[in-house]
Amino acid sequence: MSGGGDDKHLRPATRLVRGGRRPEWTGPVVNPPVWRASTHLYATDAERQAAGHNNADGQFFYGRRGAPTQWALAEALTEIEPGAHGTVLYPSGVAAIAGVMLAVLKPGDRLLMSDNAYDPTRNMANGLLTRLGVATTFFDPRDIESFRTAVAGAKAVWLEAPGSLTFEMCDVPLLASIARESGAVTMIDNTWASPLGFAALEHGCDIVMMSLSKHVGGHSDLMMGSASAGKRWYTALRRVSHELGQVVSPDDAALAARGLRTMGVRLAAQTAAALKVAEWLESQPQVARVLCPLLPSDPGHGLWTRDFTGGCGLFSFVLASDDPQASARVADALALFGIGYSWGGFESLALPIRPEDYRSCMAGTGGAPALRLSIGLEDADDLIADLGQALARV
Ligand SMILES: *Cc1c(COP(=O)(O)O)cnc(C)c1O
């Protein structure tokens, strides 16, 4: 769905509140209602034929092209993504990744993928893309000189900043400009920062995707993904999404739109709490390292402050223990953190991690026990006290 665009002069917090709320979609209520629709009825057969030829965004046609609930969410996402012409919705973040890959790559192409990309993205490269005849090379995104050599002849580059599990930052504008000079398309997974924290298209990326299951949903009760781009790549994303029959349910789209309205305040609160917890963890004798670009001591902090306008509550820490079971013991001892996948919800989560299982050329934690935390909306001092009693058992 391509964006209305009248609000582009407004600041992000204001656009979050206003995005997609066209009167013709909302009627007299505040948020767009749930339009459950497969068949769209036409007054005349001439109208049906015109709709088929028109093929435009925001036109009734058939349920697979959505209805106002999905259009409103997609338009709101476009309005908060600087440089985007339009946004396509997918039933999960991984489906969005697949939609982006299939819109860009064809048999015989070579893909460069950041080694700290999300594990299922790596699996897609090693599985689906390999079967389709696309070869992937994994690279360390901090090694600019090797990238200059590797990018020659590559069709596309997949970035994620900061990386999954270990949160290394990379110089996205520099990597994207080197890729562009070489004729390669830059795609980025921006789930961690969201457009509120990092304007990926304005920093040189061609296509930006995120899992809406995380910050946009924000309440751990829905799965969805999105991809946004300028006109050329938006058109390609939309075509492939239609070819694959990708559609999201209007009920989930309404939930995601509702989550979007409060995403700004949630992210600000979670970022502040995460920084407080991360700083406290840094000073604990049981903690060897905290992997969090919000921290001034982090090697990626300079890039984060230069390019990003916000963060989130997700980071990891490495225990100063050589017992591989230590991370599981800490997770089991926590009372306020659930153990589970996903993140970005209102409730805090802890997850023992082994990033080296998902790396080809980066170090991970070198086998040391580590945990990833997703800081929710609880009081940070309660979370710190809970971590304190759990760490005391290591
Ligand atoms: C969770 C996640 C995804 C996948 O999203 P789903 O909605 O769970 O399919 C993609 N990228 C990153 C960085 C994630 O953390």
Side-chain angles (χ1 to χ4, degrees):
M1 178 72 205
S2 63
D6 298 346
D7 277 0
K8 290 284 192 238
H9 64 290
L10 296 170
R11 290 175 181 79
T14 314
R15 279 188 263 131
L16 272 180
V17 168
R18 292 171 53 83
R21 288 174 46 205
R22 296 194 198 190
E24 67 265 35
W25 294 343
T26 57
V29 300
V30 173
N31 255 327
V34 175
W35 291 67
R36 288 202 189 87
S38 54
T39 296
H40 297 166
L41 295 172
Y42 301 98
T44 63
D45 193 58
E47 208 182 273
R48 176 190 67 81
Q49 292 193 43
H53 293 136
N54 184 347
N55 186 28
D57 282 332
Q59 293 281 323
F60 279 110
F61 181 66
Y62 173 52
R64 219 167 36 227
R65 289 205 197 148
T69 321
Q70 295 97 325
W71 301 338
L73 172 63
E75 181 166 292
L77 291 167
T78 302
E79 302 233 332
I80 62 164
E81 185 69 64
H85 175 79
T87 298
V88 178
L89 302 174
Y90 302 86
S92 71
V94 167
I97 294 166
V100 172
M101 296 289 194
L102 293 174
V104 171
L105 297 163
K106 62 178 186 327
D109 285 342
R110 196 163 64 81
L111 168 68
L112 289 188
M113 184 175 287
S114 181
D115 199 41
N116 54 6
Y118 180 58
D119 168 34
T121 315
R122 296 177 55 98
N123 284 343
M124 197 180 298
N126 291 327
L128 175 74
L129 295 182
T130 303
R131 295 196 297 279
L132 292 177
V134 174
T136 301
T137 311
F138 294 97
F139 72 101
D140 182 339
R142 300 163 303 182
D143 182 351
I144 300 292
E145 288 322 306
S146 304
F147 179 75
R148 279 186 206 283
T149 314
V151 78
K155 173 65 194 266
V157 178
W158 185 274
L159 301 177
E160 189 178 318
S164 274
L165 303 179
T166 39
F167 303 98
E168 299 91 351
M169 283 294 303
C170 64
D171 192 334
V172 176
L174 181 58
L175 292 164
S177 79
I178 295 169
R180 180 154 303 187
E181 273 164 38
S182 174
V185 180
T186 301
M187 315 174 278
I188 189 167
D189 183 335
N190 198 32
T191 304
W192 187 89
S194 90
L196 298 186
F198 183 57
L201 301 177
E202 292 206 328
H203 283 84
C205 299
D206 296 294
I207 302 175
V208 55
M209 65 71 50
M210 61 177 167
S211 164
L212 308 183
S213 321
K214 315 291 169 52
H215 302 315
V216 172
H219 297 74
S220 305
D221 52 9
L222 80 98
M223 301 291 297
M224 203 178 292
S226 69
S228 306
K231 190 163 189 179
R232 171 176 171 217
W233 285 112
Y234 169 67
T235 306
L237 291 167
R238 182 179 183 271
R239 189 188 63 228
V240 171
S241 151
H242 286 171
E243 285 167 342
L244 291 173
Q246 296 282 36
V247 64
V248 305
S249 98
D251 299 77
D252 288 345
L255 270 184
R258 172 195 251 256
L260 190 69
R261 307 299 176 201
T262 58
M263 181 169 78
V265 286
R266 282 187 283 107
L267 278 180
Q270 288 171 329
T271 304
L275 180 58
K276 191 170 185 186
V277 173
E279 279 175 338
W280 177 84
L281 281 168
E282 245 186 342
S283 67
Q284 299 309 300
Q286 300 95 338
V287 174
R289 265 186 312 143
V290 181
L291 311 175
C292 176
L294 308 175
L295 285 172
S297 60
D298 189 90
H301 185 70
L303 285 171
W304 182 72
T305 49
R306 188 191 74 182
D307 294 341
F308 283 51
T309 50
C312 72
L314 191 77
F315 67 94
S316 295
F317 66 98
V318 183
L319 292 169
S321 162
D322 46 21
D323 174 3
Q325 291 308 312
S327 49
R329 275 194 284 124
V330 170
D332 288 345
L334 288 166
L336 296 180
F337 291 77
I339 302 172
Y341 291 114
S342 200
W343 47 277
F346 60 87
E347 83 298 2
S348 290
L349 295 173
L351 186 72
I353 56 167
R354 281 183 46 88
E356 36 289 331
D357 293 350
Y358 316 108
R359 298 287 186 268
S360 307
C361 61
M362 292 172 79
T365 65
L371 292 107
R372 187 186 74 179
L373 299 181
S374 174
I375 301 298
L377 294 172
E378 303 89 342
D379 190 297
D381 290 327
D382 286 337
L383 298 177
I384 287 171
D386 192 29
L387 284 160
Q389 62 80 23
L391 285 176
R393 310 197 189 191
V394 183

